[in-house]
Amino acid sequence: MVSLARFRRPVAIPAAVCLLAATGLLAVDILGLLPRPTLLRAGFTLVGAIVAFVVFVASQGERPELERRVPPDHTAKVVVALAAVAVVAAAMSGSRLLPFALVLPVGLAAVALQLRGEPSVPAVVTQLCALFLAGRLGKYVTTGFYFGGTDTFAHVAAVDTLLRTRYTTAIGHGYDLYPVFHFFIGAVRHATGLPAYDALVLTGTVLITFVVPIAYLLGWSVFDSQRMGLLAALSVTVLEFFSYHALYFYPQALASILILGALYLNSRLRYAADERTFRRLSVFVVALLATMVVTHHLTYILFAVVAAAAVPVALVRPYLFDGSTGEGRRWFRYRWLFPGVLGGVFMLVYWSYSPSLITVGIVQLTAGVLFDVVTVPSSNLYTYGTTLPADSVDRAVAWLLTPTGIYASGLGALLLLAGYELLDNLRAYKRGFTLALTGLGLSALLLPLPIPIPQIERLQFVVTLLAIFPLAVGFKRTLAVDRRYTAVAVVLVATLGGATAFTVLTSDDLSETYIEEPREQVSMSDTQFRAVGMTASFLQRHGSGPTATDRVTNRAFETSQFNATRPLRARPTGLRTGATYLVARDRWTTHLVAVGRGIRSGDLNTFSVSNSRFTVADATHDKVYTADDVRVYRSSDGFRRFYGENGTAR
C-alpha cells in the first residue's frame, strides 16, 4: 500500500495538467475566444502534456545504470562520419531535407543511448558538435545567399566598407558605436580571403557550434555534475534559436555568446577555491565586460530583464531548502554581483559618451505605447490577383504534424518534465535551482504564441540562454525511464532534435516543411544576388531620378553602396510611388513582399502578386533594364495602381 501511495501522489500533478490543458482548450472553444483553427494549433500544449505524463510515469522508481556496450570512440566516429556524409549529400543534391531528416534523428538517438549509461564526455561533446555543425553547413551549401531577416545585407556591406575605408565611422545603422562584430568578421575575411558573406556565415556557424562545449562547462559548473553538463550541451542542439542564428549571424548573436561566457566565468567565481583563482577570473570578467559593451547594446538590456526575473527566485530559494535569510542575502554580495554591476557602469558611461540612437528609439517607442502617446501601426496584406489559402481545421491539424508543430509539442513536454522533476526531487537541484526555475518560467516565451509580438524574437534569443538549464533537467528525467521504456525516451529526443532543424524558423527556405501562407523571401541564389548588384550599378551610372523597390531588394542594394530613396507603398488599388524608377523581381510572385522601412516608418504593409498580373505589368510598362529576375521600369510621373485595382486588404 505504501509503494502504491508513493506512485499515485507524484503522478497526480502531471495528470491534472493534462486535464487542465484539455479543459482549457474546450472552454476557449465553447466561449469562442479564438478561431477554431488557431485553437487547434494551440493543441500542441495538450500533446506536450500527454507526452510529459507518459514519460514521467515511465521514469518512476530507480533507474538501473546501463553498461557501455559499444566503445564511445567508435560511436563518435560513426556519428561524425554520418554528419559529414549528410553535408556532402546535401551539397551534391542541392537539398538538405532528406539527408538530415535521416541523419539527425539517428545521431541524436545514439547520443541519447549513451547518456542513458556512463557517457564519455569527449565523445558525447564531439558528436553533439558534429551534428550541430553539420546541420548548419547543410543549410549553408544549399541556400545560396541566405539573409534571414535582411540584416545580413547591412552587415556584409559594413564589413566591406570597413575594410575599404579603414574607418569605423563608415559603418552604418549606428554600429560605428558597436564595431566589435564587424572588426571580428573583417579580420576573418582579411585572413581567409573569403567574401564578406561567407566569412560572416561560417564564423557564426563555428562560434555558435562552440556554444555546445560552453553549455557543457556551464551546466557542469552550475549543477556540479558532468551528466547535467552533457544534458545542457544536448539542449543547445534542440533549441531552434541557436540553429537559426548560426546562419543569421549578427551582433546580438555574438553578444549572446559573450553572455554565456560571462555566466560561466561568474559561476566559477562563486566557487573559486582560493583568492588567486578568484582574482585571475576577475581579470577575465572585466576584460570580457569591456568587450561586451562595444559589441551590442539591446542584448544587455534584454538580459537585465531576464536577470531581474531571477531575483525573486534567489530570494525564495533559502526557504525552500531550509536555509536562513542570511544565506539568501549572501548571494547578493558585491563579490558575486560585481560583473553585472561593473558591466552596467561601463555601459552607462559609454552611452553618455556616445549614446545609441537605436536604443533611444526603442525606449521612446516603448514608452509611447505604454502611455498611449503613440500606437504601433498595423500591418496590412494586399493581394493582387492572388488567393491565399484560407485557414481551416484541416490545415490546423496538418500544422501539428509539421516539424514546427512537433517541435512545439516536444519542447513543451520537456519543459513540463523539468517542472515535474523539480517538484519530485527538489533537493537534488539545490545547486542550480535559481537558473533552472527562472529558465523554466521564461521558456514559455519560446512556445508559439497566438498573438504576434513585434521584435519578440530578440527577447526569445536571450531567454534561450537560460532555457538550456530547465531543458537539461527535463532531459535528465526523460532519460531516467525504466529499461522497458527506453525506446520512448530515445524517440522523444531524436524526434525533437530532428524537428528542430526543419521548423519554420530554421528551415524557412523549405516551404514543404510547414503549412502556412507564402512567406517573405529569406535567401537568394548566387545568380539572383549578382543580378541585384548589376542592377544597382546600372542605376548608379544611368539613373536620372529616384528609385523605389521593396524592402528586401533595397537591403540587398546596400551591398553595392546604392539606396532606393523613394518609398514604395502597397494600397488596395495597387502599388504606388512617386519615383522615376521601380525595381521589381520575379520572386515577388512566389513570396510575400514587404514594403516600408520598419515600425518607425509607419508603413508595415506587405503584398502578394499573381504571376499573370506580374507578366501583364512587365509587358505594358517601359522596361529599361533586365538582369536575371530583376526588372527596372521607368515612368516620368511615377507609378499608380501598379498590378491593378482588384486587391483585397486585411
Side-chain angles (χ1 to χ4, degrees):
M1 291 297 293
V2 176
S3 60
L4 183 60
R6 291 181 60 190
F7 177 78
R8 284 178 177 173
R9 181 170 55 86
V11 171
I13 295 177
V17 171
C18 290
L19 182 61
L20 180 63
T23 303
L25 292 172
L26 181 60
V28 171
D29 184 43
I30 293 174
L31 295 175
L33 300 178
L34 290 174
R36 185 160 292 176
T38 302
L39 184 64
L40 285 173
R41 288 185 180 88
F44 76 85
T45 55
L46 178 58
V47 176
I50 294 173
V51 171
F53 173 79
V54 171
V55 174
F56 185 81
V57 171
S59 59
Q60 292 289 295
E62 296 294 328
R63 175 178 63 88
E65 295 290 343
L66 301 182
E67 298 180 357
R68 293 180 184 169
R69 296 184 178 180
V70 179
D73 55 338
H74 291 175
T75 307
K77 290 177 181 177
V78 171
V79 172
V80 171
L82 285 175
V85 168
V87 175
V88 174
M92 294 180 64
S93 65
S95 172
R96 68 185 185 281
L97 183 57
L98 182 59
F100 287 99
L102 295 174
V103 168
L104 289 178
V106 170
L108 289 170
V111 170
L113 286 173
Q114 294 169 72
L115 290 172
R116 282 268 296 162
E118 292 296 332
S120 164
V121 171
V124 171
V125 172
T126 298
Q127 291 167 72
L128 291 175
C129 286
L131 292 170
F132 185 88
L133 179 62
R136 312 295 70 77
L137 290 178
K139 189 170 184 176
Y140 168 70
V141 299
T142 56
T143 54
F145 193 109
Y146 178 79
F147 52 83
T150 74
D151 282 352
T152 298
F153 290 123
H155 295 306
V156 167
V159 170
D160 285 333
T161 301
L162 179 63
L163 290 177
R164 185 179 66 256
T165 64
R166 310 287 177 169
Y167 290 103
T168 58
T169 52
I171 302 176
H173 303 288
Y175 281 110
D176 55 320
L177 304 176
Y178 303 91
V180 171
F181 176 86
H182 302 97
F183 276 155
F184 189 48
I185 303 301
V188 173
R189 184 187 184 286
H190 179 74
T192 61
L194 290 169
Y197 167 76
D198 299 278
L200 185 151
V201 172
L202 292 176
T203 300
T205 298
V206 171
L207 285 181
I208 295 194
T209 299
F210 274 120
V211 170
V212 174
I214 292 174
Y216 162 71
L217 294 173
L218 187 55
W220 181 14
S221 176
V222 168
F223 292 105
D224 194 25
S225 166
Q226 286 189 339
R227 180 181 294 278
M228 291 300 294
L230 291 175
L231 294 173
L234 174 61
S235 300
V236 173
T237 65
V238 301
L239 283 166
E240 62 178 354
F241 275 95
F242 287 120
S243 297
Y244 177 56
H245 286 295
L247 290 177
Y248 184 41
F249 191 58
Y250 66 122
Q252 182 176 348
L254 178 60
S256 298
I257 297 172
L258 297 180
I259 285 178
L260 279 178
L263 283 175
Y264 173 66
L265 289 176
N266 196 45
S267 69
R268 300 306 302 162
L269 277 172
R270 291 179 181 275
Y271 301 104
D274 53 73
E275 196 66 25
R276 181 180 179 184
T277 301
F278 184 88
R279 291 176 179 174
R280 185 183 302 132
L281 289 171
S282 298
V283 171
F284 282 116
V285 169
V286 173
L288 183 59
L289 289 173
T291 303
M292 290 167 64
V293 167
V294 290
T295 301
H296 204 232
H297 45 291
L298 183 60
T299 304
Y300 311 120
I301 297 176
L302 295 174
F303 190 74
V305 175
V306 171
V311 172
V313 180
L315 291 174
V316 172
R317 178 180 176 277
Y319 299 98
L320 297 176
F321 295 101
D322 301 326
S324 63
T325 305
E327 180 183 351
R329 292 175 179 172
R330 182 174 65 85
W331 291 98
F332 291 92
R333 292 177 181 174
Y334 178 74
R335 178 181 178 88
W336 313 124
L337 297 181
F338 88 89
V341 174
L342 194 60
V345 171
F346 282 173
M347 187 170 292
L348 289 174
V349 170
Y350 186 68
W351 279 357
S352 66
Y353 172 72
S354 53
S356 168
L357 298 179
I358 297 176
T359 305
V360 171
I362 291 173
V363 172
Q364 288 177 339
L365 180 62
T366 303
V369 172
L370 290 176
F371 294 103
D372 199 26
V373 177
V374 298
T375 57
V376 177
S378 60
S379 176
N380 296 312
L381 170 61
Y382 299 99
T383 58
Y384 305 132
T386 62
T387 302
L388 298 180
D391 203 5
S392 65
V393 170
D394 291 342
R395 287 173 60 82
V397 173
W399 179 87
L400 290 172
L401 302 177
T402 63
T404 303
I406 294 172
Y407 172 81
S409 300
L411 182 63
L414 280 175
L415 293 175
L416 284 174
L417 282 167
Y420 302 155
E421 172 69 4
L422 290 174
L423 289 173
D424 200 30
N425 300 295
L426 184 63
R427 294 193 176 278
Y429 299 95
K430 181 177 181 180
R431 181 163 168 172
F433 175 79
T434 299
L435 289 175
L437 187 61
T438 304
L440 179 62
L442 294 174
S443 292
L445 292 172
L446 303 181
L447 298 172
L449 300 175
I451 302 174
I453 303 175
Q455 298 294 309
I456 185 63
E457 65 275 4
R458 290 187 177 271
L459 178 59
Q460 288 174 321
F461 191 22
V462 176
V463 170
T464 299
L465 304 181
L466 288 191
I468 61 176
F469 301 109
L471 282 182
V473 176
F475 275 127
K476 181 181 179 182
R477 186 73 192 212
T478 300
L479 297 173
V481 296
D482 186 88
R483 188 189 301 268
R484 295 170 297 175
Y485 307 107
T486 300
V488 175
V490 172
V491 167
L492 176 58
V493 175
T495 302
L496 176 59
T500 301
F502 299 106
T503 65
V504 171
L505 192 64
T506 58
S507 193
D508 44 13
D509 56 304
L510 293 176
S511 59
E512 60 267 36
T513 61
Y514 50 85
I515 300 175
E516 296 291 343
E517 61 189 21
R519 298 174 63 84
E520 294 181 32
Q521 189 175 6
V522 295
S523 64
M524 295 181 182
S525 68
D526 294 334
T527 302
Q528 293 166 12
F529 182 64
R530 283 195 298 269
V532 173
M534 293 166 59
T535 303
S537 298
F538 168 80
L539 290 168
Q540 285 173 323
R541 293 194 308 268
H542 305 292
S544 57
T547 302
T549 189
D550 68 300
R551 189 184 305 167
V552 166
T553 307
N554 202 28
R555 295 305 297 270
F557 278 157
E558 289 188 51
T559 60
S560 300
Q561 290 77 54
F562 180 72
N563 185 42
T565 56
R566 286 292 180 88
L568 176 64
R569 295 184 173 88
R571 296 293 182 263
T573 56
L575 301 182
R576 62 178 299 173
T577 180
T580 304
Y581 298 97
L582 172 61
V583 179
R585 300 177 55 242
D586 288 350
R587 292 303 179 273
W588 284 7
T589 62
T590 55
H591 298 87
L592 294 186
V593 184
V595 296
R597 298 181 180 179
I599 291 178
R600 302 192 70 184
S601 72
D603 191 347
L604 300 175
N605 293 341
T606 57
F607 70 88
S608 172
V609 59
S610 67
N611 186 66
S612 60
R613 292 203 183 187
F614 185 93
T615 302
V616 169
D618 189 58
T620 56
H621 285 79
D622 183 14
K623 185 167 50 182
V624 296
Y625 184 78
T626 302
D628 193 61
D629 76 326
V630 185
R631 308 283 189 269
V632 180
Y633 306 110
R634 189 183 189 284
S635 173
S636 57
D637 60 349
F639 298 84
R640 304 290 185 274
R641 305 179 187 277
F642 205 78
Y643 296 140
E645 301 182 79
N646 297 321
T648 57
R650 66 175 186 179

